[in-house]
Amino acid sequence: MRQRRAMRRLLCQVCGRAADRDGDGVLWLLGEHDAAELTTSHPPLCVPCAAQAARSCPYLRGGCTAVRARSRTPIGVHGMVYRPGFPFPVAETDGGVLYGDERIRWTRAAQLIVRLAEVTVVELHTGVPAARR
């Protein structure tokens, strides 16, 4: 519930206040896998919390990219995917399912997945594009 609220209202995933926003968009940290697709299930951040998250979060410690995005589009959910079974559905896998995938109706969603657009790569500690420094 907290993750979906933070995504919907663009709240910092660490402190819960408004995520940092400027003319280039809202601040997000993308892990290595997320950066290639510009998709994430992690809410945006404020500048002070972004540096803390990059140091503390095991997912981001291996490397991350700070970006500002002017827009985002919900593209799916992350959660437990089930398959029909008797007498109850059977858990199959935990993962992401895109809207339009027939497995979506068998998915117990835990997190919203968004695709970021109009993206600018920025410096992690300032949230400012490197070209402006």
Side-chain angles (χ1 to χ4, degrees):
M1 179 90 155
R2 183 174 183 257
Q3 185 267 1
R4 291 182 299 230
R5 181 176 180 265
M7 287 289 227
R8 188 174 58 252
R9 296 185 180 182
L10 296 174
L11 302 175
C12 176
Q13 64 176 287
V14 176
C15 68
R17 296 185 183 115
D20 195 75
R21 181 188 312 233
D22 68 12
D24 289 319
V26 177
L27 181 64
W28 302 77
L29 285 184
L30 301 176
E32 291 180 12
H33 174 73
D34 296 338
E37 300 289 325
L38 293 178
T39 62
T40 187
S41 62
H42 303 283
L45 297 121
C46 63
V47 172
C49 290
Q52 176 187 344
R55 286 189 310 270
S56 304
C57 177
Y59 180 75
L60 298 174
R61 253 187 270 148
C64 64
T65 303
V67 300
R68 289 195 179 272
R70 288 194 177 115
S71 65
R72 76 213 181 281
T73 304
I75 61 166
V77 296
H78 187 277
M80 182 57 69
V81 181
Y82 291 82
R83 63 177 168 77
F86 183 81
F88 303 106
V90 177
E92 189 171 72
T93 184
D94 181 35
V97 179
L98 300 179
Y99 295 139
D101 185 323
E102 62 186 40
R103 298 176 306 149
I104 195 91
R105 64 190 181 109
W106 288 95
T107 303
R108 183 169 185 174
Q111 297 180 325
L112 179 65
I113 301 172
V114 298
R115 175 167 286 125
L116 305 177
E118 301 178 72
V119 174
T120 303
V121 176
V122 297
E123 294 290 327
L124 174 62
H125 299 287
T126 63
V128 176
R132 290 193 198 156
R133 292 181 4 142

